[in-house]
Amino acid sequence: MRKPSERNWTVLRSVTPGEEENDRMRSKIRSSIRARAELNAKQRIFELKNVVLTALFVIISAGLLIQLQQHYQSPNGSGQSQAVNEFSLKWDLESVYSEKIEEGYAFFEKGNPEQVGMAEFVTEEEKNKIINTSAMNMAKEMVNFPYPTSLYIEHVKMMDVSLRYHFFVEAGKKTMHFSFDYPKLEYAEIFQVISSLDFIEPKPYRYNEQLYVTHGYGSLPYPVGLRPIELIGDKEKYVWEQGLPQQFKEYIDKIKATKMWKQIKDGGSAYTFESTDGTEIVEISLMGKEITYQYLYPKREE
């Protein structure tokens, strides 16, 4: 007679799957493993796609932000200002910047919300209309400036504006009209903007020697590149970065060459000139890089 444990083992063996059933189970297990592996692979591919798409979104968004920043850029703090939209424009004067407006570009001076000038592209017809319909005077060409430039001065009857400077600048096949209000912007600052214009395309012409201009309706030449530091009454003081002794001597020779001023005193670092009509006397002195003009008007005092 068998023991209970032996009988149990016989029963257990009788319910154990046969070889055919074992094959079916192994096949199911393998199929399950393959399906799981394929599912994991698909999940990894899906996750990788998400990472790539996220990275592309970040790159594209950053590019758009940079373009928007450049599109509406004003002063860039590097000594040059930019107005960037359908073209690029720069000039060397930190204190003046531009903002895009419907007509073109409006100019402002740092710390002052009041507009000091504007610029816009004009056709030849529009240019002639501006010249012929305003109280324009003193048309002349600005020699050796970065682009072919003509200047017109307009009398303006306003409390805070006495003269309006109009410049028509030929940039390739286009003409840009600039206007600046004096004394909202000083003469030296107006000419600093125009004399340092850079449209990027076409490239500007750079004159290797000192440029000179006259302020207002005066006949005395001033060096381009002066920075106003004190303008009180008949006394004007500027910083002249290129104002070395040799440059100062060349400047004095330039005044003499106009034939409109005669030297009446030479004090080494200071020279005194009188206009040929006797209405003006000016003493010009240079101390370091500060150049000072002291005007006298003898006939006015009489």
Side-chain angles (χ1 to χ4, degrees), residues 167-218:
F167 297 91
F168 294 93
V169 181
E170 308 295 330
K173 296 182 180 180
K174 294 184 177 181
T175 299
M176 176 159 268
H177 169 223
F178 292 82
S179 67
F180 295 98
D181 293 342
Y182 172 84
K184 289 182 180 179
L185 208 60
E186 291 296 333
Y187 295 125
E189 295 170 317
I190 292 172
F191 283 109
Q192 179 62 16
V193 170
I194 299 299
S195 67
S196 62
L197 285 178
D198 186 350
F199 284 96
I200 310 300
E201 186 60 42
K203 293 181 179 179
Y205 163 72
R206 293 304 182 199
Y207 187 55
N208 293 327
E209 299 181 24
Q210 178 67 56
L211 289 171
Y212 296 95
V213 295
T214 55
H215 289 180
Y217 290 105

Side-chain angles (χ1 to χ4, degrees), residues 52-299:
V52 172
L53 289 174
T54 301
L56 286 173
F57 176 77
V58 170
I59 292 170
I60 293 170
S61 298
L64 289 173
L65 287 173
I66 291 171
Q67 289 181 1
L68 286 172
Q69 183 180 12
Q70 290 177 343
H71 183 84
Y72 294 103
Q73 188 174 351
S74 55
N76 60 13
S78 65
Q80 293 180 325
S81 299
Q82 289 185 323
V84 180
N85 191 10
E86 65 272 10
F87 78 106
S88 294
L89 173 64
K90 297 181 181 179
W91 58 88
D92 295 329
L93 187 60
E94 290 185 10
S95 59
V96 173
Y97 66 97
S98 68
E99 290 183 1
K100 187 74 176 68
I101 58 175
E102 184 177 354
E103 299 83 2
Y105 297 88
F107 291 93
F108 298 88
E109 198 168 20
K110 284 183 180 179
N112 182 6
E114 193 171 3
Q115 185 174 333
V116 299
M118 68 168 295
E120 60 180 341
F121 284 108
V122 294
T123 64
E124 189 66 22
E125 183 180 358
E126 290 169 335
K127 173 184 174 180
N128 291 329
K129 185 177 181 181
I130 293 169
I131 294 171
N132 295 323
T133 57
S134 300
M136 296 289 188
N137 293 280
M138 198 177 162
K140 65 178 181 180
E141 299 299 318
M142 308 306 299
V143 180
N144 293 322
F145 272 52
Y147 301 93
T149 302
S150 55
L151 163 65
Y152 295 82
I153 299 179
E154 175 191 0
H155 282 278
V156 181
K157 295 180 180 180
M158 296 173 62
M159 289 295 294
D160 55 349
V161 180
S162 58
L163 298 176
R164 181 165 290 148
Y165 268 63
H166 295 265
F167 297 91
F168 294 93
V169 181
E170 308 295 330
K173 296 182 180 180
K174 294 184 177 181
T175 299
M176 176 159 268
H177 169 223
F178 292 82
S179 67
F180 295 98
D181 293 342
Y182 172 84
K184 289 182 180 179
L185 208 60
E186 291 296 333
Y187 295 125
E189 295 170 317
I190 292 172
F191 283 109
Q192 179 62 16
V193 170
I194 299 299
S195 67
S196 62
L197 285 178
D198 186 350
F199 284 96
I200 310 300
E201 186 60 42
K203 293 181 179 179
Y205 163 72
R206 293 304 182 199
Y207 187 55
N208 293 327
E209 299 181 24
Q210 178 67 56
L211 289 171
Y212 296 95
V213 295
T214 55
H215 289 180
Y217 290 105
S219 59
L220 183 73
Y222 282 78
V224 170
L226 301 182
R227 189 172 77 249
I229 54 176
E230 182 182 326
L231 302 170
I232 302 176
D234 297 328
K235 184 178 181 180
E236 303 173 4
K237 186 180 289 188
Y238 304 87
V239 171
W240 184 18
E241 292 295 342
Q242 287 74 38
L244 301 174
Q246 180 59 33
Q247 280 70 25
F248 187 54
K249 182 179 182 302
E250 292 175 1
Y251 175 38
I252 297 302
D253 292 339
K254 176 70 176 179
I255 298 173
K256 294 177 183 178
T258 65
K259 305 298 182 181
M260 301 185 71
W261 295 84
K262 60 182 179 180
Q263 183 179 327
I264 60 177
K265 185 179 178 182
D266 176 4
S269 61
Y271 293 80
T272 304
F273 290 89
E274 183 180 8
S275 61
T276 52
D277 61 5
T279 59
E280 288 180 274
I281 294 175
V282 59
E283 181 187 80
I284 306 172
S285 59
L286 182 70
M287 296 292 292
K289 292 192 175 182
E290 286 189 4
I291 187 168
T292 302
Y293 299 80
Q294 181 65 62
Y295 282 91
L296 295 173
Y297 302 92
K299 292 188 178 181

